[in-house]
Protein backbone atom coordinates (compact mmCIF):
# COMPACT_ATOMS: atom_id res chain seq x y z
CA UNK A 1 0.00 0.00 0.00
CA UNK A 2 1.81 3.15 -1.05
CA UNK A 3 1.26 6.50 0.59
CA UNK A 4 -0.45 8.07 -2.33
CA UNK A 5 -3.03 5.34 -2.54
CA UNK A 6 -3.63 5.60 1.21
CA UNK A 7 -4.17 9.33 0.92
CA UNK A 8 -6.56 8.78 -1.89
CA UNK A 9 -8.47 6.10 0.03
CA UNK A 10 -8.72 8.33 3.06
CA UNK A 11 -9.89 11.30 1.11
CA UNK A 12 -12.58 9.14 -0.47
CA UNK A 13 -13.62 8.00 3.00
CA UNK A 14 -13.91 11.58 4.22
CA UNK A 15 -15.98 12.56 1.20
CA UNK A 16 -18.20 9.52 1.54
CA UNK A 17 -18.73 10.28 5.24
CA UNK A 18 -19.48 13.87 4.47
CA UNK A 19 -22.06 12.99 1.84
CA UNK A 20 -23.76 10.47 4.11
CA UNK A 21 -23.73 12.95 6.98
CA UNK A 22 -25.25 15.68 4.85
CA UNK A 23 -28.09 13.35 3.88
CA UNK A 24 -28.96 12.76 7.54
CA UNK A 25 -32.14 14.71 8.25
CA UNK A 26 -32.04 14.75 12.01
CA UNK A 27 -29.62 14.25 14.85
CA UNK A 28 -30.61 10.61 15.21
CA UNK A 29 -29.81 9.77 11.61
CA UNK A 30 -26.58 11.74 11.87
CA UNK A 31 -25.58 9.70 14.89
CA UNK A 32 -26.18 6.49 12.93
CA UNK A 33 -23.82 7.75 10.18
CA UNK A 34 -21.24 8.71 12.77
CA UNK A 35 -21.32 5.18 14.16
CA UNK A 36 -20.69 3.76 10.68
CA UNK A 37 -17.37 5.61 10.60
CA UNK A 38 -16.24 6.25 14.13
CA UNK A 39 -18.11 3.51 16.08
CA UNK A 40 -16.47 0.33 17.43
CA UNK A 41 -17.25 -1.55 14.23
CA UNK A 42 -16.99 1.57 12.06
CA UNK A 43 -14.82 2.08 8.99
CA UNK A 44 -12.10 4.16 10.68
CA UNK A 45 -11.71 1.57 13.41
CA UNK A 46 -11.44 -1.13 10.74
CA UNK A 47 -8.73 0.92 9.07
CA UNK A 48 -6.80 1.10 12.32
CA UNK A 49 -7.02 -2.66 12.63
CA UNK A 50 -5.16 -2.98 9.33
CA UNK A 51 -2.07 -1.59 11.04
CA UNK A 52 -0.98 -5.03 12.18
CA UNK A 53 -0.56 -6.09 8.56
CA UNK A 54 1.99 -3.35 7.97
CA UNK A 55 5.72 -3.57 8.35
CA UNK A 56 6.88 -2.40 11.77
CA UNK A 57 8.52 0.79 10.50
CA UNK A 58 5.42 1.95 8.64
CA UNK A 59 3.12 1.61 11.60
CA UNK A 60 3.78 4.95 13.44
CA UNK A 61 3.14 7.03 10.32
CA UNK A 62 0.06 5.02 9.48
CA UNK A 63 -1.28 5.33 13.03
CA UNK A 64 -0.73 9.06 12.95
CA UNK A 65 -2.52 9.34 9.66
CA UNK A 66 -5.54 7.35 10.77
CA UNK A 67 -5.73 9.40 13.95
CA UNK A 68 -5.65 12.56 11.88
CA UNK A 69 -8.44 11.10 9.79
CA UNK A 70 -10.42 10.29 12.93
CA UNK A 71 -9.97 13.83 14.20
CA UNK A 72 -11.02 15.28 10.90
CA UNK A 73 -14.19 13.17 10.85
CA UNK A 74 -14.93 14.02 14.49
CA UNK A 75 -14.64 17.69 13.62
CA UNK A 76 -16.93 17.16 10.66
CA UNK A 77 -19.59 15.37 12.70
CA UNK A 78 -19.40 17.88 15.56
CA UNK A 79 -19.97 20.73 13.17
CA UNK A 80 -22.85 19.03 11.42
CA UNK A 81 -24.38 17.94 14.71
CA UNK A 82 -24.50 21.51 15.96
CA UNK A 83 -26.19 22.58 12.74
CA UNK A 84 -28.75 19.79 12.79
CA UNK A 85 -29.61 20.49 16.43
CA UNK A 86 -30.04 24.16 15.72
CA UNK A 87 -32.39 23.32 12.87
CA UNK A 88 -34.35 20.96 15.06
CA UNK A 89 -34.71 23.55 17.80
CA UNK A 90 -35.88 26.19 15.32
CA UNK A 91 -38.48 23.73 13.98
CA UNK A 92 -39.66 22.89 17.48
CA UNK A 93 -39.96 26.54 18.46
CA UNK A 94 -41.88 27.32 15.29
CA UNK A 95 -44.33 24.49 15.91
CA UNK A 96 -44.86 25.60 19.49
CA UNK A 97 -45.15 29.29 18.81
CA UNK A 98 -48.20 31.11 20.12
CA UNK A 99 -49.99 33.81 18.23
CA UNK A 100 -50.56 36.33 21.00
CA UNK A 101 -52.73 38.46 18.75
CA UNK A 102 -55.34 35.70 18.43
CA UNK A 103 -58.58 36.47 20.32
CA UNK A 104 -58.91 34.42 23.53
CA UNK A 105 -61.50 31.77 24.16
CA UNK A 106 -64.30 33.33 26.20
CA UNK A 107 -65.30 31.68 29.44
CA UNK A 108 -68.93 31.99 30.42
CA UNK A 109 -69.25 33.11 34.00
CA UNK A 110 -71.81 31.35 36.14
CA UNK A 111 -74.15 33.05 38.56
CA UNK A 112 -76.23 31.93 41.50
CA UNK A 113 -79.77 30.75 40.87
CA UNK A 114 -82.39 33.27 42.06
CA UNK A 115 -83.72 30.71 44.56
CA UNK A 116 -80.20 30.35 45.97
CA UNK A 117 -79.75 34.12 46.09
CA UNK A 118 -82.99 34.55 48.03
CA UNK A 119 -82.25 31.60 50.31
CA UNK A 120 -78.81 33.03 51.14
CA UNK A 121 -80.34 36.45 51.75
CA UNK A 122 -82.97 34.95 54.10
CA UNK A 123 -80.26 33.10 56.00
CA UNK A 124 -78.24 36.33 56.29
CA UNK A 125 -81.19 38.29 57.58
CA UNK A 126 -82.27 35.73 60.17
CA UNK A 127 -78.74 34.77 61.20
CA UNK A 128 -78.33 38.46 62.00
CA UNK A 129 -81.21 38.09 64.47
CA UNK A 130 -79.58 35.08 66.13
CA UNK A 131 -81.34 32.21 64.34
CA UNK A 132 -79.43 28.97 63.80
CA UNK A 133 -79.86 26.68 60.80
CA UNK A 134 -81.37 23.23 61.13
CA UNK A 135 -81.96 20.94 58.17
CA UNK A 136 -84.36 18.00 58.39
CA UNK A 137 -84.73 15.05 55.98
CA UNK A 138 -86.65 15.29 52.69
CA UNK A 139 -88.21 11.86 53.20
CA UNK A 140 -90.21 12.11 56.40
CA UNK A 141 -92.42 9.91 58.49
CA UNK A 142 -96.11 10.69 58.67
CA UNK A 143 -95.57 11.51 62.35
CA UNK A 144 -93.13 14.40 61.86
CA UNK A 145 -94.83 15.83 58.80
CA UNK A 146 -98.38 15.68 60.14
CA UNK A 147 -99.31 13.94 63.38
CA UNK A 148 -96.87 15.70 65.71
CA UNK A 149 -97.85 18.99 64.07
CA UNK A 150 -101.36 18.45 65.40
CA UNK A 151 -102.62 17.00 62.14
CA UNK A 152 -103.70 13.39 62.92
CA UNK A 153 -104.71 10.91 60.20
CA UNK A 154 -108.33 11.97 59.75
CA UNK A 155 -107.68 15.69 60.17
CA UNK A 156 -109.24 17.79 57.39
CA UNK A 157 -106.12 20.00 57.21
CA UNK A 158 -104.29 17.09 55.55
CA UNK A 159 -106.27 17.97 52.43
CA UNK A 160 -104.55 21.39 52.35
CA UNK A 161 -101.49 19.64 50.94
CA UNK A 162 -101.54 16.88 48.32
CA UNK A 163 -98.96 14.45 49.57
CA UNK A 164 -96.59 12.10 47.71
CA UNK A 165 -96.43 8.92 49.79
CA UNK A 166 -93.42 6.60 49.60
CA UNK A 167 -95.12 3.95 51.75
CA UNK A 168 -97.96 3.95 54.31
CA UNK A 169 -95.76 5.66 56.83
CA UNK A 170 -93.14 7.45 54.70
CA UNK A 171 -93.70 10.50 52.51
CA UNK A 172 -91.87 13.30 50.73
CA UNK A 173 -92.21 16.11 53.25
CA UNK A 174 -94.87 18.61 52.28
CA UNK A 175 -93.56 21.31 54.62
CA UNK A 176 -90.37 22.22 56.45
CA UNK A 177 -92.55 22.52 59.58
CA UNK A 178 -91.52 18.90 60.22
CA UNK A 179 -88.16 20.34 61.29
CA UNK A 180 -89.84 22.12 64.24
CA UNK A 181 -90.62 18.76 65.84
CA UNK A 182 -87.22 17.23 65.11
CA UNK A 183 -85.43 20.20 66.63
CA UNK A 184 -87.66 20.51 69.73
CA UNK A 185 -87.18 16.80 70.46
CA UNK A 186 -83.44 17.39 70.43
CA UNK A 187 -83.02 20.81 71.98
CA UNK A 188 -84.62 22.49 74.96
CA UNK A 189 -85.69 26.17 74.79
CA UNK A 190 -84.57 28.85 74.23
CA UNK A 191 -84.83 27.98 70.53
CA UNK A 192 -84.33 30.20 67.48
CA UNK A 193 -84.31 27.93 64.47
CA UNK A 194 -84.27 28.60 60.74
CA UNK A 195 -84.87 25.58 58.52
CA UNK A 196 -84.53 25.81 54.73
CA UNK A 197 -85.26 22.89 52.42
CA UNK A 198 -87.07 21.24 49.53
CA UNK A 199 -90.70 20.26 49.91
CA UNK A 200 -92.98 18.26 47.63
CA UNK A 201 -96.66 18.45 46.75
CA UNK A 202 -98.78 17.08 43.95
CA UNK A 203 -99.49 20.54 42.62
CA UNK A 204 -98.62 22.06 39.24
CA UNK A 205 -99.55 25.41 37.65
CA UNK A 206 -98.01 28.85 36.92
CA UNK A 207 -97.34 29.54 40.60
CA UNK A 208 -97.05 25.99 41.98
CA UNK A 209 -94.49 23.31 41.25
CA UNK A 210 -94.37 19.72 42.62
CA UNK A 211 -91.00 20.52 44.20
CA UNK A 212 -90.22 23.85 45.76
CA UNK A 213 -88.31 25.35 48.66
CA UNK A 214 -89.49 26.59 52.00
CA UNK A 215 -87.91 28.48 54.85
CA UNK A 216 -89.24 27.63 58.27
CA UNK A 217 -88.69 29.64 61.42
CA UNK A 218 -89.31 28.72 65.04
CA UNK A 219 -88.77 30.69 68.22
CA UNK A 220 -89.54 29.13 71.62
CA UNK A 221 -88.76 30.70 74.97
CA UNK A 222 -90.49 32.04 78.08
CA UNK A 223 -93.01 34.78 77.35
CA UNK A 224 -92.95 34.78 73.54
CA UNK A 225 -96.07 36.38 72.03
CA UNK A 226 -97.61 37.32 68.70
CA UNK A 227 -96.10 40.82 69.16
CA UNK A 228 -92.61 39.31 69.02
CA UNK A 229 -93.58 37.66 65.74
CA UNK A 230 -94.86 40.91 64.28
CA UNK A 231 -91.78 42.87 65.36
CA UNK A 232 -89.49 40.32 63.79
CA UNK A 233 -91.56 40.24 60.57
CA UNK A 234 -91.31 44.04 60.25
CA UNK A 235 -87.55 43.79 60.43
CA UNK A 236 -87.54 40.94 57.96
CA UNK A 237 -89.59 42.67 55.21
CA UNK A 238 -87.53 45.85 55.51
CA UNK A 239 -84.36 43.86 54.95
CA UNK A 240 -85.85 41.70 52.18
CA UNK A 241 -87.98 44.11 50.15
CA UNK A 242 -87.52 47.80 50.98
CA UNK A 243 -86.86 50.17 53.88
CA UNK A 244 -90.46 51.36 53.74
CA UNK A 245 -92.09 47.89 53.64
CA UNK A 246 -94.78 47.21 56.24
CA UNK A 247 -96.60 44.04 57.30
CA UNK A 248 -100.23 43.20 57.92
CA UNK A 249 -101.52 40.12 59.71
CA UNK A 250 -104.77 38.42 58.67
CA UNK A 251 -106.41 35.64 60.66
CA UNK A 252 -105.91 32.21 59.14
CA UNK A 253 -105.75 28.57 60.10
CA UNK A 254 -102.90 26.09 60.51
CA UNK A 255 -103.22 23.08 62.79
CA UNK A 256 -99.86 23.70 64.44
CA UNK A 257 -100.40 27.36 65.38
CA UNK A 258 -103.08 29.07 67.46
CA UNK A 259 -103.78 31.81 66.63
CA UNK A 260 -102.65 31.47 63.01
CA UNK A 261 -102.04 34.32 60.58
CA UNK A 262 -101.28 35.01 56.95
CA UNK A 263 -98.71 37.74 56.64
CA UNK A 264 -98.98 40.35 53.90
CA UNK A 265 -96.26 42.80 52.95
CA UNK A 266 -96.97 46.22 51.45
CA UNK A 267 -96.31 46.11 47.72
CA UNK A 268 -92.68 47.07 47.04
CA UNK A 269 -93.47 47.99 43.42
CA UNK A 270 -96.28 50.54 43.93
CA UNK A 271 -95.67 51.24 47.62
CA UNK A 272 -99.28 50.35 48.45
CA UNK A 273 -101.17 52.37 45.84
CA UNK A 274 -102.16 49.32 43.81
CA UNK A 275 -100.51 47.77 40.73
CA UNK A 276 -100.63 44.53 38.69
CA UNK A 277 -98.18 42.78 41.04
CA UNK A 278 -100.39 43.29 44.11
CA UNK A 279 -103.51 42.94 41.96
CA UNK A 280 -104.55 46.46 42.89
CA UNK A 281 -104.72 45.76 46.64
CA UNK A 282 -101.41 47.29 47.74
CA UNK A 283 -100.63 44.11 49.71
CA UNK A 284 -98.94 40.82 48.86
CA UNK A 285 -99.23 37.61 50.86
CA UNK A 286 -95.75 36.34 51.77
CA UNK A 287 -96.00 33.72 54.49
CA UNK A 288 -97.97 31.80 57.07
CA UNK A 289 -97.24 32.09 60.76
CA UNK A 290 -98.69 31.93 64.24
CA UNK A 291 -98.22 31.17 67.89
CA UNK A 292 -97.08 27.58 68.33
CA UNK A 293 -100.04 25.39 69.31
CA UNK A 294 -99.77 24.08 72.90
CA UNK A 295 -100.36 20.56 71.59
CA UNK A 296 -97.24 20.80 69.39
CA UNK A 297 -95.10 21.86 72.36
CA UNK A 298 -96.54 18.99 74.39
CA UNK A 299 -95.83 16.49 71.62
CA UNK A 300 -92.16 17.49 71.88
CA UNK A 301 -91.98 17.38 75.68
CA UNK A 302 -91.92 21.17 76.06
CA UNK A 303 -94.14 22.44 78.91
CA UNK A 304 -96.64 24.90 77.34
CA UNK A 305 -97.31 26.48 80.75
CA UNK A 306 -93.67 27.56 80.95
CA UNK A 307 -92.76 28.15 77.32
CA UNK A 308 -94.44 29.65 74.30
CA UNK A 309 -93.31 30.35 70.80
CA UNK A 310 -94.04 31.51 67.31
CA UNK A 311 -93.41 29.87 63.97
CA UNK A 312 -93.49 30.95 60.38
CA UNK A 313 -93.05 29.34 57.00
CA UNK A 314 -92.58 30.80 53.55
CA UNK A 315 -92.04 29.59 49.99
CA UNK A 316 -88.62 30.68 48.73
CA UNK A 317 -89.72 30.56 45.06
CA UNK A 318 -92.64 32.79 45.95
CA UNK A 319 -90.36 35.37 47.59
CA UNK A 320 -88.00 35.22 44.58
CA UNK A 321 -90.91 35.67 42.16
CA UNK A 322 -92.17 38.69 44.09
CA UNK A 323 -88.76 40.24 44.51
CA UNK A 324 -87.73 39.88 40.87
CA UNK A 325 -91.16 40.12 39.20
CA UNK A 326 -91.09 36.56 37.81
CA UNK A 327 -94.55 35.51 36.66
CA UNK A 328 -94.12 31.79 36.04
CA UNK A 329 -92.54 29.40 38.53
CA UNK A 330 -91.48 27.09 35.66
CA UNK A 331 -88.81 29.63 34.67
CA UNK A 332 -87.03 28.70 37.89
CA UNK A 333 -86.57 25.07 36.89
CA UNK A 334 -86.02 25.37 33.11
CA UNK A 335 -82.37 26.45 33.52
CA UNK A 336 -82.53 28.78 30.54
CA UNK A 337 -79.26 30.72 30.70
CA UNK A 338 -80.89 33.82 29.16
CA UNK A 339 -83.23 33.90 32.15
CA UNK A 340 -80.68 32.98 34.81
CA UNK A 341 -78.04 35.45 33.58
CA UNK A 342 -80.28 38.33 34.66
CA UNK A 343 -79.77 37.69 38.36
CA UNK A 344 -76.75 39.07 40.07
CA UNK A 345 -76.25 38.63 43.76
N1 LIG B 1 -96.23 24.79 56.74
C1 LIG B 1 -97.12 25.78 56.20
C2 LIG B 1 -97.35 25.47 54.73
O1 LIG B 1 -96.58 24.77 54.18
C3 LIG B 1 -96.54 27.17 56.34
C4 LIG B 1 -96.54 27.61 57.77
C5 LIG B 1 -97.61 28.26 58.29
C6 LIG B 1 -95.46 27.33 58.56
C7 LIG B 1 -97.64 28.67 59.60
C8 LIG B 1 -95.45 27.73 59.88
C9 LIG B 1 -96.54 28.40 60.38
O2 LIG B 1 -94.44 27.50 60.71
O3 LIG B 1 -96.54 28.80 61.70
O4 LIG B 1 -98.29 25.95 54.18
Amino acid sequence: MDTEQKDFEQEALVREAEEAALRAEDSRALYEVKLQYLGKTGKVTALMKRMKDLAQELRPAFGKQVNALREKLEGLFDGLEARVREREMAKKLASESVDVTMPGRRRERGALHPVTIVKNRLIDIFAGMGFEIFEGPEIETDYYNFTALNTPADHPARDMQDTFYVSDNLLLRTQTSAGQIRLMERKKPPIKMLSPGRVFRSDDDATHSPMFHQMEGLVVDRGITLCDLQGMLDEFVKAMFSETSKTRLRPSYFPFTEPSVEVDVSCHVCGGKGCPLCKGTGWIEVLGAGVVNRRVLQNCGVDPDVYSGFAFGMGIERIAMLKYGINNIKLLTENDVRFLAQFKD
Side-chain angles (χ1 to χ4, degrees):
M1 209 187 317
D2 60 44
T3 330
E4 230 166 84
Q5 194 193 340
K6 263 187 303 184
D7 283 352
F8 179 73
E9 249 179 55
Q10 290 181 8
E11 257 168 48
L13 196 72
V14 171
R15 228 175 306 125
E16 179 193 305
E18 199 164 17
E19 273 163 24
L22 283 170
R23 274 198 304 274
E25 289 196 341
D26 54 26
S27 49
R28 228 198 124 71
L30 185 64
Y31 181 68
E32 298 291 330
V33 177
K34 187 175 170 180
L35 283 185
Q36 280 171 31
Y37 292 89
L38 298 173
K40 266 199 196 112
T41 54
K43 291 183 181 175
V44 176
T45 318
L47 207 58
M48 198 61 136
K49 280 183 186 150
R50 270 160 62 182
M51 189 147 79
K52 62 181 186 321
D53 303 331
L54 293 179
Q56 193 67 39
E57 66 276 15
L58 291 176
R59 288 184 188 177
F62 181 77
K64 227 170 150 183
Q65 213 168 14
V66 176
N67 272 337
L69 173 67
R70 173 182 290 281
E71 266 166 38
K72 195 165 178 184
L73 285 182
E74 268 167 3
L76 169 78
F77 281 109
D78 285 352
L80 285 178
E81 216 168 75
R83 239 172 60 191
V84 168
R85 280 196 199 285
E86 229 167 77
R87 242 186 3 235
E88 277 173 352
M89 179 56 83
K91 220 157 130 187
K92 190 163 176 237
L93 288 178
S95 77
E96 287 173 1
S97 77
V98 176
D99 179 359
V100 291
T101 64
M102 237 160 82
R105 220 172 275 155
R106 233 194 145 93
R107 276 224 191 171
E108 293 294 342
R109 271 188 75 190
L112 293 179
H113 190 278
V115 167
T116 307
I117 296 174
V118 168
K119 180 177 129 185
N120 290 349
R121 180 81 190 113
L122 287 168
I123 291 174
D124 273 359
I125 295 170
F126 286 102
M129 299 187 210
F131 282 72
E132 57 180 321
I133 306 284
F134 172 81
E135 285 184 74
E138 289 176 2
I139 297 178
E140 258 305 359
T141 63
D142 183 279
Y143 177 77
Y144 286 103
N145 195 79
F146 288 126
T147 308
L149 286 161
N150 196 32
T151 322
D154 53 357
H155 198 288
R158 286 207 178 196
D159 293 344
M160 288 163 81
Q161 301 164 2
D162 262 325
T163 310
F164 290 116
Y165 281 89
V166 177
S167 68
D168 279 351
N169 187 38
L170 287 178
L171 46 82
L172 300 185
R173 69 174 170 199
T174 60
Q175 48 189 357
T176 45
S177 307
Q180 293 186 24
I181 308 299
R182 288 194 175 267
L183 188 82
M184 279 194 281
E185 280 182 354
R186 230 173 272 192
K187 187 175 183 243
K188 295 296 148 218
I191 285 171
K192 257 184 153 180
M193 171 203 84
L194 193 65
S195 190
R198 288 195 185 93
V199 298
F200 307 84
R201 292 181 199 179
S202 182
D203 216 351
D204 203 1
D205 60 33
T207 52
H208 296 88
S209 135
M211 186 285 290
F212 62 103
H213 298 76
Q214 282 190 334
M215 185 68 85
E216 190 81 12
L218 174 71
V219 173
V220 182
D221 203 350
R222 292 170 197 263
I224 298 291
T225 70
L226 198 65
C227 289
D228 297 308
L229 170 67
Q230 182 147 29
M232 184 219 68
L233 289 171
D234 282 337
E235 289 304 310
F236 158 62
V237 295
K238 281 195 176 70
M240 190 73 207
F241 295 104
S242 100
E243 252 316 294
T244 53
S245 291
K246 286 190 268 298
T247 59
R248 173 176 87 168
L249 305 188
R250 283 181 290 111
S252 184
Y253 174 78
F254 298 103
F256 34 88
T257 43
E258 182 57 38
S260 301
V261 293
E262 297 279 2
V263 180
D264 293 344
V265 61
S266 55
C267 182
H268 56 286
V269 171
C270 63
K273 287 200 253 349
C275 71
L277 183 70
C278 58
K279 299 191 183 85
T281 64
W283 295 95
I284 300 167
E285 184 186 316
V286 279
L287 56 95
V291 172
V292 180
N293 194 306
R294 290 172 63 87
R295 291 246 189 121
V296 174
L297 295 177
Q298 270 163 353
N299 288 343
C300 304
V302 176
D303 185 349
D305 292 326
V306 178
Y307 294 106
S308 58
F310 67 73
F312 60 91
M314 65 186 98
I316 301 182
E317 279 80 354
R318 181 168 170 74
I319 304 285
M321 289 170 79
L322 291 173
K323 193 169 164 62
Y324 298 119
I326 300 165
N327 57 13
N328 194 326
I329 197 166
K330 299 291 178 295
L331 289 165
L332 294 170
T333 44
E334 279 170 351
N335 280 342
D336 186 330
V337 180
R338 291 167 304 176
F339 169 76
L340 294 172
Q342 298 173 52
F343 304 94
K344 294 277 171 281
D345 197 359

